[in-house]
């Protein structure tokens, strides 16, 4: 059972937040996205963003399959309200629900594009003849154009790829990439994958590259990316002397926001109880 909040004549985020608070008091049925079938809508912290931040971008591996509520995932995103959000390990059904909650509960309206690389019941559920679609997703407060979805020639132990769109960040047109490289001990595979990605990124003077690269900063497989762009963490670089803030529960930095033609204003890493990866976001100059 789903509860939809109608907003035909209601304008303004404050009223939408009131609707969310009323839902909190009544409890929300969120179906299969919650382990128990029932979950209360999580209120946002007092210092949460009040609207989309036009120069903010975020990357987050949301963890699938995981017993996590999409209501909580939406609340995590709404707290920081980025202009552009890159999600990895994203099931289309989950992203659809997250996007709906962002609008109905928090008044944040996003366009969405998908970079599906496989259909797999073990990842995203579904039925044998219609398993869930899995891969990357990009959400943007501005429309997105010229989407490409590329599967790497060698995905490693699981199909992997990247997607790219053109959209607006702080009112400026920019090419945004979102990727998820091969995991665990597949260094050679990741090196080939990052080479494919880097060849496309190099075509643009201004680009933002989001994703879970499954590699620490000084890993050789990231050399092609570092040659083109810098990470938004000002202390983080491929030199062993770099002090990079971890982005995972196992204290490694795997998640990056690489910039080409931009400079970061503020970089933040936010641990989350709803994934084994942290939310990484930055404001751009």
């Amino acid at each position: 059972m789903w509860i939809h909040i109608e907003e035909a004549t209601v304008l303004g985020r404050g009223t939408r937040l009131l609707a969310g608070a009323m839902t909190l008091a009544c409890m929300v049925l969120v179906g299969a996205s919650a382990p128990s079938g029932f979950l209360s809508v999580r209120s946002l912290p007092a210092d949460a963003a009040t609207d989309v931040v036009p120069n903010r971008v975020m990357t987050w591996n949301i963890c699938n399959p995981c017993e996590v509520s999409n209501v909580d995932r939406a609340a995590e995103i709404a707290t920081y309200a980025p202009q552009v959000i890159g999600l990895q390990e994203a099931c289309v059904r989950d992203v659809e629900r997250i996007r709906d909650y962002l609008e109905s509960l928090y008044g944040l309206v996003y366009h969405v594009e998908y970079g599906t690389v496989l259909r797999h019941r073990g990842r995203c559920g579904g039925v044998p003849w219609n398993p869930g679609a899995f891969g990357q997703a990009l959400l943007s407060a501005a429309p997105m154009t010229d989407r490409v979805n590329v599967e790497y020639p060698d995905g490693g132990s699981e199909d992997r790829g990247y997607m790219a769109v053109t959209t607006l960040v702080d009112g400026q047109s920019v090419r945004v990439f979102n990727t998820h490289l091969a995991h665990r001990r597949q260094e050679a595979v990741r090196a080939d994958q990052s080479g494919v990605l880097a060849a496309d990124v190099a075509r643009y003077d201004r680009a933002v590259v989001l994703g879970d690269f499954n590699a620490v900063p000084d890993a050789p497989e990231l050399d092609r990316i570092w040659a083109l762009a810098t990470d938004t963490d000002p202390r983080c670089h491929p030199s062993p002397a770099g002090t990079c803030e971890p982005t995972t529960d196992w204290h490694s930095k795997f998640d990056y926001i690489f910039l080409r033609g931009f400079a970061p204003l503020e970089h933040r890493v936010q641990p989350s109880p709803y994934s084994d990866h942290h939310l990484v976001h930055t404001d751009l100059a």
Side-chain angles (χ1 to χ4, degrees):
M1 177 181 178
W2 289 87
I3 296 176
H4 296 284
I5 299 174
E6 300 294 339
E7 299 180 75
T9 61
V10 179
L11 299 177
R13 193 182 183 201
T15 306
R16 293 184 181 122
L17 288 172
L18 176 60
M22 292 173 63
T23 309
L24 172 63
C26 299
M27 305 292 284
V28 172
L29 288 172
V30 295
S33 65
S36 64
F38 293 87
L39 192 71
S40 60
V41 176
R42 195 157 61 82
S43 59
L44 301 185
D47 60 349
T50 57
D51 207 343
V52 169
V53 182
N55 66 330
R56 181 169 295 168
V57 296
M58 172 187 286
T59 185
W60 190 22
N61 182 321
I62 59 175
C63 184
N64 271 308
C66 292
E67 295 295 325
V68 176
S69 164
N70 290 314
V71 171
D72 288 325
R73 286 168 165 162
E76 291 283 86
I77 293 170
T79 298
Y80 310 105
Q83 172 80 4
V84 173
I85 306 150
L87 302 177
Q88 303 88 42
E89 295 196 20
C91 297
V92 169
R93 293 187 186 97
D94 288 330
V95 176
E96 288 174 344
R97 291 167 181 169
I98 290 168
R99 183 181 175 220
D100 287 345
Y101 288 137
L102 285 167
E103 181 173 2
S104 63
L105 300 178
Y106 305 109
L108 301 172
V109 179
Y110 287 100
H111 303 266
V112 64
E113 293 286 354
Y114 296 99
T116 296
V117 293
L118 77 157
R119 294 181 178 274
H120 196 285
R121 289 186 67 202
R123 281 291 195 178
C124 297
V127 292
W129 56 91
N130 186 25
F134 174 85
Q136 287 74 245
L138 279 167
L139 285 76
S140 175
M144 292 175 278
T145 60
D146 303 317
R147 181 187 68 88
V148 299
N149 185 32
V150 177
E151 288 192 41
Y152 293 123
D154 182 0
S157 58
E158 180 179 74
D159 292 349
R160 295 291 165 92
Y162 74 88
M163 63 182 299
V165 302
T166 299
T167 189
L168 298 179
V169 176
D170 204 19
Q172 301 181 70
S173 179
V174 61
R175 194 65 171 168
V176 179
F177 295 81
N178 183 21
T179 192
H180 187 191
L181 301 190
H183 67 304
R184 297 180 182 170
R185 301 253 176 219
Q186 301 180 82
E187 292 86 351
V189 174
R190 286 196 297 273
D192 289 343
Q193 292 172 347
S194 64
V196 172
L197 175 62
D200 199 353
V201 174
R203 298 170 53 219
Y204 299 90
D205 294 330
R206 297 170 60 83
V208 176
V209 186
L210 312 170
D212 174 5
F213 287 76
N214 271 313
V216 294
D218 61 350
E221 58 261 39
L222 297 188
D223 287 351
R224 294 281 299 277
I225 303 297
W226 283 114
L228 296 171
T230 58
D231 185 57
T232 56
D233 183 345
R235 301 173 302 171
C236 189
H237 46 80
S239 167
T243 305
C244 306
E245 188 171 0
T247 65
T248 65
D249 287 352
W250 53 95
H251 308 296
S252 294
K253 179 176 172 66
F254 279 3
D255 305 271
Y256 298 81
I257 300 176
F258 285 111
L259 301 181
R260 180 172 168 85
F262 284 93
L265 288 176
E266 186 174 11
H267 170 89
R268 292 182 179 177
V269 176
Q270 306 289 339
S272 170
Y274 307 110
S275 176
D276 53 358
H277 287 253
H278 307 338
L279 292 84
V280 180
H281 64 87
T282 194
D283 298 346
L284 306 183

